[in-house]
Amino acid sequence: QVQLVESGGGLVQPGGSLRLSCAASGIILRIYTMAWYRQAPGKQREFVAAITAGGNTTYRDSVKGRFTISRDNAKNMVSLQMNSLKLEDTAVYYCNAALRPHGTATVGNYWGQGTQVTVSS
């Protein structure tokens, strides 16, 4: 069974940094795009950043220049380096991956359980 497990959340002061990581486990044939989303209290889940298998990246405008997404294809991992954090970055961050598990012909959309990031002074 495929699972995505995030780590690295926590409490940080404005201007600080955090690094989130997400590992995909299970027997996986191929992982396509991996991404990070976030959901603040009372708000809808929103896109943060994505990276294709080839390394092409996209970001939401509000995090450009502050966040960097990267992946390690050999380890089935994706990371999000977050610098210059702001109060409005506070949210639960979710890892997302489009992947094809072993034994299936279907590409599925998988989510992690989420990790809390709190930016507060």
Side-chain angles (χ1 to χ4, degrees):
Q1 186 174 356
V2 174
Q3 286 186 316
L4 300 181
V5 179
E6 301 105 333
S7 60
L11 174 65
V12 64
Q13 292 185 338
S17 298
L18 279 176
R19 184 176 181 87
L20 306 182
S21 295
C22 171
S25 63
I27 304 176
I28 300 169
L29 277 182
R30 184 172 179 179
I31 302 178
Y32 298 88
T33 297
M34 303 186 82
W36 290 93
Y37 287 73
R38 66 187 182 187
Q39 188 168 18
K43 295 187 177 181
Q44 289 188 332
R45 190 172 298 188
E46 64 183 21
F47 169 79
V48 176
I51 184 167
T52 67
N56 293 319
T57 59
T58 55
Y59 298 91
R60 72 178 298 107
D61 286 346
S62 63
V63 307
K64 286 180 180 177
R66 299 189 298 121
F67 291 11
T68 302
I69 189 170
S70 60
R71 66 190 283 173
D72 184 333
N73 291 330
K75 296 181 179 179
N76 289 342
M77 290 186 66
V78 62
S79 298
L80 186 68
Q81 178 65 42
M82 304 185 295
N83 298 329
S84 302
L85 282 160
K86 303 177 180 180
L87 297 175
E88 54 264 40
D89 294 318
T90 294
V92 177
Y93 283 70
Y94 295 90
C95 175
N96 171 266
L99 61 87
R100 182 179 166 192
H102 175 74
T104 72
T106 304
V107 177
N109 193 37
Y110 291 80
W111 293 91
Q113 82 286 353
T115 185
Q116 178 70 46
V117 171
T118 302
V119 184
S120 175
S121 56

